[in-house]
Amino acid sequence: RLLVKPCRGSAIDYHKKAPDIATQFGAGTCRVRKAADPRNLWIELRTGDPLAEPIKPPPPDPNVDLERVQVGITEDGDPWFLKILGRHLLLAGETGAGKSSLIWAILWAIAPLIKLGLVEVHAIDPKGGMELGKGDDAGLFARYAEEDFDSMMQLLLDAKQRMDEHKASARAQGRRKHIPTLQQPYLIVIIDEAAVLKLLSDDTKKAAFLERVQTLILAQGRAPGVTVISALQVPTVATDATRALYPNRVQFRTMEQRHFGMTLAPGVLEYIDPELLDMPGKAFFLNDGTAEPGLGRVFHVEDEDIEWLGSEYGLQEDVERVRSIA
């Protein structure tokens, strides 16, 4: 890492020259970052890549911390943590880029809390179970919808009702935040292909109502103990409008460079090189409170891992009890 005080030029100018700098130093890649002193820059030259190979997840930690959920490894070789508690997550990327890997990495990490009944996962998969169906088979979801628009809309309506109940309970007890219990567990709502969900209905009024419910949960769900994880292939104008409601944002590989700005933040291309997303599972991420994106690779959870997860942490015989509470 080189600390540089430029005689002229800005961080953007150095970023544009990053490939040339890497070549001069015989490094694989070069990243340019702002230093604490705005007059200086950090130039990071990498001779190895800790993200070059798929990464197996460590065994689930029984002491799950929803404020530090490890989902992978960063480009520095450090753990990649996501704060799930009180934070919605937006993830985007083309087919096969690794979006579902991130969802499974989260489920892998929080599985002990699912088993205890303190976290409840409700999932929507408009693609007929291609992405999330194995999670339902493994007993990881208390609610699951994949068949038709009405069932998916009902799941979201029920999630909003649960959110309202959590708010009322916290207010009655004089609390500002929801405290998960077996009667009122923390709720995580996973929506695959969130951007096209409303297109599945021929009724425009129903579609508009569903979009309103989604927005209400995003806007009000933080304190009442509801987290939304939305996955999509192509960011849209609607994504641009609701992006601020997702403190955690992750962009996987995409053919359109403008998608980085639509998912993460405007102007983010000044600090990243899309060519670094050269394999599935690699992604740029932006966490709440950070200005510059990081680069990481999510854990690779395979089908046999999901089956094992279900056998060890799935709701199994308790699923009907949990669903009755839902």
Side-chain angles (χ1 to χ4, degrees), residues 138-140 305-316:
L140 296 172
D305 297 321
I306 298 172
E307 294 173 3
W308 176 86
L309 200 65
S311 66
E312 294 292 323
Y313 298 99
L315 301 173
Q316 299 171 1

Side-chain angles (χ1 to χ4, degrees), residues 9-251:
S10 65
I12 297 174
D13 297 320
Y14 275 73
H15 172 72
K16 292 177 180 178
K17 290 293 184 180
D20 295 336
I21 297 173
T23 299
Q24 291 298 318
F25 280 89
T29 60
C30 172
R31 293 286 303 276
V32 178
R33 300 181 185 274
K34 294 180 179 178
D37 185 335
R39 295 171 297 179
N40 298 336
L41 301 172
W42 281 109
I43 295 180
E44 299 178 349
L45 301 156
R46 302 191 179 279
T47 56
D49 184 3
L51 310 180
E53 300 293 335
I55 307 166
K56 294 292 291 184
D61 187 343
N63 300 311
V64 181
D65 183 355
L66 290 178
E67 297 200 15
R68 284 173 60 84
V69 175
Q70 187 180 0
V71 296
I73 303 295
T74 71
E75 61 183 330
D76 300 318
D78 297 327
W80 175 6
F81 292 111
L82 279 179
K83 183 177 180 180
I84 301 298
L85 189 69
R87 295 290 188 271
H88 303 304
L89 168 64
L90 175 66
L91 52 124
E94 64 188 29
T95 300
K99 300 187 299 298
S100 62
S101 296
L102 179 51
I103 292 175
W104 286 115
I106 293 171
L107 292 171
W108 179 274
I110 67 172
L113 290 183
I114 294 176
K115 180 64 176 178
L116 290 174
L118 294 176
V119 167
E120 200 172 282
V121 180
H122 296 188
I124 294 176
D125 186 350
K127 292 191 289 189
M130 293 178 61
E131 298 293 345
L132 302 178
K134 286 187 176 296
D136 187 50
D137 296 339
L140 296 172
F141 303 147
R143 292 283 302 276
Y144 178 69
E146 67 172 40
E147 297 178 358
D148 55 62
F149 178 85
D150 289 339
S151 65
M152 298 175 196
M153 184 169 70
Q154 188 60 52
L155 187 151
L156 287 177
L157 283 171
D158 292 344
K160 180 185 178 301
Q161 181 180 346
R162 293 279 294 279
M163 179 184 74
D164 293 339
E165 291 171 356
H166 289 185
K167 285 193 298 183
S169 177
R171 190 182 307 115
Q173 298 177 40
R175 291 185 281 103
R176 296 179 61 187
K177 292 184 178 180
H178 171 69
I179 298 177
T181 64
L182 291 176
Q183 290 71 36
Q184 291 188 329
Y186 195 88
L187 181 59
I188 297 178
V189 181
I190 301 174
I191 309 173
D192 191 43
E193 297 302 335
V196 300
L197 185 59
K198 65 179 182 178
L199 301 179
L200 299 176
S201 175
D202 295 329
D203 189 326
T204 56
K205 290 185 178 179
K206 279 187 177 182
F209 181 67
L210 178 138
E211 188 173 19
R212 178 174 176 271
V213 171
Q214 280 183 268
T215 304
L216 282 172
I217 296 174
L218 287 170
Q220 301 178 5
R222 181 185 65 83
V226 180
T227 286
V228 177
I229 300 174
S230 297
L232 47 88
Q233 291 188 40
V234 180
T236 63
V237 175
T239 306
D240 203 39
T242 60
R243 179 184 55 223
L245 299 176
Y246 293 93
N248 295 335
R249 307 163 207 165
V250 180
Q251 177 66 58

